[in-house]
């Protein structure tokens, strides 16, 4: 999802063409900008939020912290119409609209965000922010703080001296951003994949601030399957000699490992149905038979490599490793008991998921719903159809548009 234009990103794929394949591949805080009080016209401006210092859940100080954010719609006088969108692992705050008229594609959930859409910008103020350690640290439309950020004392990148951060840390920085705008309560919080983890954490950590919860393609904890999946994503970077234990900013970055990692992210986020319906056994090079040439490749192999190469242009290897750690450590409530963390959720919950998800096991999603419901909180589960597996939580989100609209109005 790392092309040169952030507006074309979907969570785990990019727009590319290869042979016959054409498809989606994928408190001290200062608000430095404000949203104009006019109807949203689809044009987006990335804005900057800065905190002089932030102390992580692990007790370590980071400062200054700068993150990018964008908003669609107008915050009302009562400041009670805000909906927070939290982004996925390889995503950014660019959930809707375009930065420029010639952007090839809008933000990833543009289908449901805008005037008259389920997340109606004539009614709601939709806000999204780049997370700490955002994967796309070298994207000009991303503003984040992480290992690639200059250390205030040395002027050199933090590297792996940067403290480990958690999903709760993402939430705490978002909370400071909202408070800087006078927002004390959210009409809803909604996010896909890693965004769902942030949404659960919001509703558990601050139940008095969240009125509605919409987690999409995500469960309440990183189960063993997800732990292993994330470990596989990290492994190629660690095996690249250029990674140098994270100390590579003065030399060659570990791009080979990063590309292989991003290839795995893309593959796992999709589904075999998509692969088999999109590709056949065609060769990448019509003159090179993979059965007779060790270096020859099939079209699907070459396509995944092309996607990964494009994504790696704006990604940072250390940031990917930090995101892996944050996701692996996730347990709703940031405590020792998942049941206890989920029991603190009071907000009526609408859970959207795919039965074909290869990242978050559907059974884990359903178990999360049962645990929330066991505490007396109403929960509704809606499945999304499609052939993209995990990615259907973004690409097929419009299927649930009417239910989302009604849920927000209830």
């Amino acid at each position: 999802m790392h092309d040169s234009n952030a507006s074309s990103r979907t969570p785990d794929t990019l727009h590319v063409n290869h042979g016959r394949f054409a498809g989606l591949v994928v408190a001290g805080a200062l608000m430095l900008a404000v949203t104009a009080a006019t109807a949203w016209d689809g044009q987006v401006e990335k804005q900057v939020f800065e905190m002089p210092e932030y102390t992580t859940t692990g007790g370590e100080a980071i400062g200054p912290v700068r993150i990018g954010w964008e908003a669609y719609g107008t915050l009302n006088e009562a400041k009670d119409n805000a909906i927070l969108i939290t982004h996925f692992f390889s995503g950014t705050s660019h959930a809707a609209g375009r930065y420029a008229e010639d952007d090839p594609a809008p933000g990833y959930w543009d289908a449901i965000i805008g005037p008259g859409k389920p997340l109606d910008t004539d009614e709601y103020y939709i806000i999204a922010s780049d997370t700490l350690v955002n994967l796309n640290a070298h994207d000009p439309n991303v503003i984040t703080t992480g290992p690639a950020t200059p250390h205030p004392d040395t002027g050199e990148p933090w590297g792996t001296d940067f403290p480990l951060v958690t999903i709760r840390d993402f939430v705490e920085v978002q909370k400071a951003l909202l408070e800087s705008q006078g927002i004390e309560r959210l009409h809803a919080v909604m996010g896909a994949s890693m965004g769902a983890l942030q949404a659960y954490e919001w509703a558990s950590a601050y139940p008095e601030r969240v009125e509605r919860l919409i987690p999409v393609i995500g469960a309440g904890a990183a189960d063993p399957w997800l732990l292993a999946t994330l470990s596989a994503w990290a492994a190629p970077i660690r095996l690249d000699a250029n990674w140098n234990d994270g100390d590579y900013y003065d030399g060659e970055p570990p791009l080979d490992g990063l590309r292989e990692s991003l290839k795995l992210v893309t593959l796992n986020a999709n589904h075999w149905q998509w692969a088999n319906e999109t590709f056949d056994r065609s060769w990448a090079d019509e003159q090179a038979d993979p059965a007779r040439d060790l270096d020859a490749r099939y079209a699907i192999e070459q396509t995944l490599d092309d996607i990964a190469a494009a994504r790696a242009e704006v990604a940072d290897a250390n940031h990917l490793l930090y995101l892996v750690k944050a996701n692996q450590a996730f347990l709703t409530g940031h405590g020792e008991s998942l049941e206890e963390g989920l029991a603190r959720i009071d907000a009526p919950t609408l859970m959207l998921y795919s039965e074909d998800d290869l990242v978050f096991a559907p059974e884990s999603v359903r178990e999360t719903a049962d645990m929330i419901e066991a505490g007396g909180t109403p929960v509704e589960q809606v499945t999304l159809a499609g052939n993209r597996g995990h990615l259907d939580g973004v690409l097929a989100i419009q299927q649930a548009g009417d239910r989302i609209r009604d849920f927000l109005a209830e």
Side-chain angles (χ1 to χ4, degrees):
M1 80 170 281
H2 307 287
D3 56 350
S4 59
N5 190 312
S7 66
S8 68
R9 276 195 216 101
T10 60
D12 300 290
T13 51
L14 281 180
H15 284 288
V16 300
N17 291 305
H18 187 275
R20 288 161 303 163
F21 174 67
L24 283 166
V25 246
V26 212
L30 174 66
M31 183 179 69
L32 301 181
V34 295
T35 301
T38 58
W40 185 54
D41 62 1
Q43 291 292 302
V44 182
E45 179 184 356
K46 180 59 66 81
Q47 306 185 64
V48 182
F49 172 75
E50 184 169 336
M51 302 175 69
E53 187 173 83
Y54 170 72
T55 301
T56 71
T57 56
E60 298 189 68
I62 308 170
V65 166
R66 299 176 75 248
I67 59 166
W69 65 279
E70 48 195 74
Y72 330 106
T74 303
L75 184 62
N76 63 16
E77 187 174 353
K79 301 184 186 297
D80 63 0
N81 69 331
I83 297 176
L84 176 66
I85 303 297
T86 48
H87 70 68
F88 42 85
F89 185 95
S90 56
T92 75
S93 60
H94 194 45
R98 286 175 163 85
Y99 296 122
E101 290 184 5
D102 60 353
D103 281 356
Y108 63 91
W109 266 351
D110 192 77
I112 58 169
I113 298 173
K117 296 179 183 180
L119 276 68
D120 191 344
T121 51
D122 291 336
E123 182 175 359
Y124 304 115
Y125 176 69
I126 317 297
I127 184 169
S129 67
D130 299 326
T131 62
L132 296 171
V133 300
N134 188 281
L135 178 60
N136 311 285
H138 306 300
D139 186 325
N141 287 315
V142 168
I143 301 164
T144 186
T145 302
T149 304
H151 191 290
D153 294 337
T154 67
E156 300 298 323
W158 278 82
T160 53
D161 287 336
F162 194 81
L164 288 179
V165 290
T166 64
I167 298 296
R168 173 66 73 85
D169 289 313
F170 298 173
V171 167
E172 295 296 342
V173 174
Q174 291 160 0
K175 178 172 174 284
L177 165 63
L178 294 172
E179 289 176 344
S180 76
Q181 300 183 36
I183 300 169
E184 298 290 339
R185 192 170 179 86
L186 290 166
H187 186 79
V189 58
M190 177 179 182
S193 192
M194 187 182 80
L197 309 189
Q198 295 168 73
Y200 288 125
E201 191 67 14
W202 257 104
S204 176
Y206 299 106
E208 73 285 357
R209 291 175 177 253
V210 177
E211 296 179 358
R212 294 165 186 81
L213 172 61
I214 311 178
V216 183
I217 53 171
D223 63 14
W225 175 255
L226 183 59
L227 294 177
T229 299
L230 290 162
S231 177
W233 292 0
I237 291 172
R238 293 182 176 276
L239 292 172
D240 189 322
N242 286 335
W243 180 57
N244 194 32
D245 292 329
D247 184 13
Y248 56 80
Y249 293 104
D250 289 334
E252 283 293 319
L255 287 178
D256 287 343
L258 179 58
R259 285 188 286 260
E260 291 301 310
S261 292
L262 294 171
K263 182 164 67 175
L264 285 173
V265 173
T266 302
L267 184 62
N268 293 161
N270 276 284
H271 193 272
W272 58 261
Q273 296 177 74
W274 160 79
N276 292 349
E277 291 171 9
T278 304
F279 299 89
D280 53 23
R281 290 177 53 81
S282 297
W283 308 344
D285 180 346
E286 293 180 358
Q287 307 303 315
D289 181 355
R292 296 178 178 273
D293 182 345
L294 188 62
D295 295 324
R297 305 163 69 71
Y298 291 95
I300 188 171
E301 292 181 280
Q302 188 63 57
T303 297
L304 290 172
D305 278 345
D306 291 346
I307 294 166
R311 300 177 72 181
E313 290 181 2
V314 295
D316 184 83
N318 280 335
H319 281 234
L320 188 148
L321 297 181
Y322 273 68
L323 283 172
V324 162
K325 281 294 186 181
N327 281 263
Q328 286 181 317
F330 179 67
L331 186 73
T332 299
H334 201 71
E336 296 182 359
S337 166
L338 177 59
E339 290 83 357
E340 179 183 345
L342 292 174
R344 287 200 293 268
I345 295 177
D346 292 331
T349 301
L350 175 64
M351 296 178 65
L352 310 178
Y353 73 104
S354 166
E355 286 287 351
D356 294 321
D357 196 329
L358 301 181
V359 178
F360 283 92
E363 184 60 30
S364 291
V365 177
R366 290 190 289 269
E367 288 175 356
T368 299
D370 291 343
M371 290 182 193
I372 297 173
E373 204 164 27
T377 299
V379 179
E380 179 181 352
Q381 300 175 61
V382 174
T383 58
L384 300 166
N387 70 349
R388 302 302 291 270
H390 188 64
L391 268 177
D392 280 324
V394 172
L395 305 182
I397 193 66
Q398 198 168 10
Q399 290 177 17
D402 289 343
R403 185 64 197 103
I404 294 169
R405 185 194 307 274
D406 292 345
F407 181 73
L408 292 174
E410 290 170 357

